[in-house]
Amino acid sequence: MYLTKEEERIYNGECGWANQVCMKILVRLGELFNATKLIPISSAHVSGVSYKTLGDAPTEFLEALAYANTKAYVKATLNPQSFDREYLCKKLPQNLFRKQLRVMEYFEKMDFVPSLTCTPYYLEKPEKGAHLAWAESSAVVYANSVIGAWTNREGGPSALAAAVIGKTPDYGMHKAENRQPKVLVKLGTRLRSDVEFGALGIFLGKVLKDEIPFIQGLQKASADNLKQLGAAMASTGMVNMFYHCNDTLKSGIEKISIEAKDILRTVENLTTTSKQKPNLVFVGCPHCSLAEIKLIASLIHHRKVKEETECWICTSRHIQEKAKKYVTKIEQTGARVITDTCVVVTWTDKLGIKTIMTNSAKTAHYAPTMNKAETVLVSLKESLDAAFRG
Ligand code: F3S
């Protein structure tokens, strides 16, 4: 792989061991995928921030980097951690809370932005065509497919290394020839809810593995529906991008058909219990947009959460701040607007939560293993109806 003089100096350790380690991570990755050079990025987004998924050894690595005076060279945002600042931080074991605080101390020492969200594009939307090094799979699909930015699906370490160096290896989704659709998906049904967009994503992720689909027959969809589709697709497969009705298609590619029964069966399979009385109703995977917070506020206005049920609406601090008026309305009902974290990256099992109802196909896919919980996947309206009286 070609390195500039400056990159070579970093690679050889002339700018300190921490920069050297980061450069070596990028060069190794580039060599694995036959990249010929590094390219500059406009931002990085790092996953593996929650102590629940990170653990001790990576925390020590972060500590070493932070105390070697490592700094992010480009704007670098962070995925959700395992706690929020008001509710879960008091309810969960304090030793876990302290460990999470350590992780955050190191990231902040390195000048990472404590965004703590999987929707960094709401903080600052990347330019169309901008090269990024993002590591949250749902954000990667959204960036490539909805925003038109260019990013591979980074791992936590490679996104961190890219943030520090300000560059990423030039391969995969950074090359125009790798961004072409490979499979024509003929959708023979109209999707009726957020859940069905997610179910389509779960189905496609399994079938396509890493091949980019062109989805034909998808009705005009909101950005939030496409967010559900992409997040789900990236949880069952390695697809990093999709095309839909507004895009144009080159002919001559493999075709698959999807009917209503495939969507229905996928939704059914993501529901693991018939129990309709969840301990927790969770909305906000990926983190809610401003439009979603407004919609939720209008759906639950003047209602009260059932005593035996918790209702969490997860979003970023950024959106919480922008949606203050709606957040107040939501919290007056007894539902909680929770920032910085989500169900999947915190320890719901330690709170005694055994059944989670959600409108997110991604959460329904992960919760049985990540949260040791039964799941019920239903639409946003049905989820909220189950949490509220009246
Ligand atoms: Fe975000 Fe957590 Fe879902 S990080 S995409 S809300 S699993």
Side-chain angles (χ1 to χ4, degrees):
M1 197 164 121
Y2 169 78
L3 295 183
T4 63
K5 287 270 175 293
E6 173 68 10
E7 289 162 358
E8 258 179 25
R9 285 183 55 239
I10 300 173
Y11 188 89
N12 292 330
E14 290 174 42
C15 302
W17 73 264
N19 285 312
Q20 183 183 33
V21 166
C22 290
M23 182 58 90
K24 287 200 163 178
I25 290 173
L26 298 182
V27 170
R28 182 81 193 104
L29 187 65
E31 284 171 353
L32 267 174
F33 289 95
N34 297 322
T36 53
K37 63 180 192 304
L38 296 174
I39 50 171
I41 51 167
S42 21
S43 68
H45 179 75
V46 173
S47 62
V49 177
S50 161
Y51 177 74
K52 178 184 168 189
T53 53
L54 197 63
D56 286 325
T59 303
E60 279 159 26
F61 176 61
L62 286 174
E63 180 179 19
L65 284 179
Y67 282 91
N69 220 14
T70 311
K71 300 286 178 203
Y73 185 81
V74 290
K75 180 172 180 177
T77 44
L78 297 175
N79 231 24
Q81 60 173 1
S82 53
F83 289 86
D84 68 329
R85 289 177 298 177
E86 283 167 9
Y87 182 58
L88 297 172
C89 61
K90 295 178 196 136
K91 295 200 70 153
L92 284 162
Q94 289 305 293
N95 64 322
L96 296 176
F97 182 47
R98 281 192 293 276
K99 287 185 176 192
Q100 182 65 67
L101 287 180
R102 271 184 64 203
V103 172
M104 284 311 297
E105 178 196 326
Y106 305 144
F107 273 121
E108 290 191 53
K109 195 165 162 32
M110 292 189 282
D111 290 346
F112 283 71
V113 181
S115 53
L116 301 173
T117 182
C118 46
T119 54
Y121 39 85
Y122 296 146
L123 274 73
E124 189 177 324
K125 191 169 152 191
E127 298 278 321
K128 201 169 178 190
H131 291 273
L132 320 172
W134 283 13
E136 158 59 40
S137 64
S138 66
V140 166
V141 179
Y142 194 91
N144 282 318
S145 317
V146 181
I147 297 173
W150 294 30
T151 177
N152 283 322
R153 184 190 302 196
E154 302 291 343
S158 66
L160 189 143
V164 170
I165 301 296
K167 293 180 181 175
T168 193
D170 187 21
Y171 73 95
M173 300 301 288
H174 295 287
K175 311 280 260 184
E177 63 268 29
N178 297 327
R179 298 175 65 87
Q180 299 307 313
K182 288 279 180 330
V183 179
L184 172 63
V185 175
K186 289 194 162 185
L187 184 63
T189 181
R190 192 179 166 79
L191 302 179
R192 293 166 304 174
S193 68
D194 44 350
V195 160
E196 295 197 348
F197 276 88
L200 173 63
I202 293 282
F203 187 93
L204 286 177
K206 285 183 188 162
V207 178
L208 296 170
K209 308 281 190 284
D210 64 351
E211 297 199 307
I212 298 176
F214 184 101
I215 307 170
Q216 203 172 59
L218 193 65
Q219 72 253 34
K220 200 168 179 320
S222 69
D224 287 320
N225 284 335
L226 298 177
K227 179 174 74 172
Q228 286 299 329
L229 194 165
M233 192 186 289
S235 29
T236 49
M238 289 302 290
V239 188
N240 289 326
M241 184 178 181
F242 62 86
Y243 290 86
H244 56 102
C245 51
N246 296 329
D247 304 305
T248 46
L249 173 70
K250 282 205 298 191
S251 56
I253 58 175
E254 187 191 340
K255 296 183 185 63
I256 61 168
S257 299
I258 297 183
E259 304 301 334
K261 64 176 179 0
D262 301 313
I263 303 293
L264 286 178
R265 199 177 314 122
T266 306
V267 175
E268 277 166 21
N269 289 344
L270 288 163
T271 293
T272 63
T273 175
S274 58
K275 215 169 22 158
Q276 290 294 314
K277 277 196 181 161
N279 310 111
L280 171 65
V281 169
F282 166 56
V283 177
C285 171
H287 276 176
C288 285
S289 65
L290 183 57
E292 288 172 312
I293 293 284
K294 279 186 189 172
L295 175 64
I296 293 164
S298 73
L299 288 172
I300 64 178
H301 197 38
H302 295 316
R303 296 168 79 186
K304 285 284 170 216
V305 170
K306 289 176 187 162
E307 260 162 37
E308 66 279 15
T309 311
E310 296 222 20
C311 180
W312 297 1
I313 314 296
C314 285
T315 188
S316 59
R317 286 183 215 173
H318 173 78
I319 294 292
Q320 182 199 39
E321 190 57 31
K322 280 176 85 170
K324 264 188 187 151
K325 191 170 84 186
Y326 305 99
V327 168
T328 307
K329 276 189 185 171
I330 293 171
E331 295 197 320
Q332 280 166 350
T333 68
R336 292 178 190 282
V337 175
I338 291 184
T339 62
D340 303 351
T341 188
C342 78
V343 157
V344 175
V345 299
T346 193
W347 295 269
T348 51
D349 51 326
K350 293 191 194 303
L351 301 171
I353 290 167
K354 295 196 164 48
T355 308
I356 299 170
M357 180 179 276
T358 183
N359 67 333
S360 163
K362 175 171 177 172
T363 292
H365 174 71
Y366 281 122
T369 43
M370 293 292 285
N371 301 82
K372 304 181 195 85
E374 301 283 359
T375 53
V376 183
L377 178 65
V378 289
S379 69
L380 173 67
K381 187 168 178 317
E382 288 170 275
S383 304
L384 296 175
D385 283 346
F388 285 84
R389 293 197 292 261

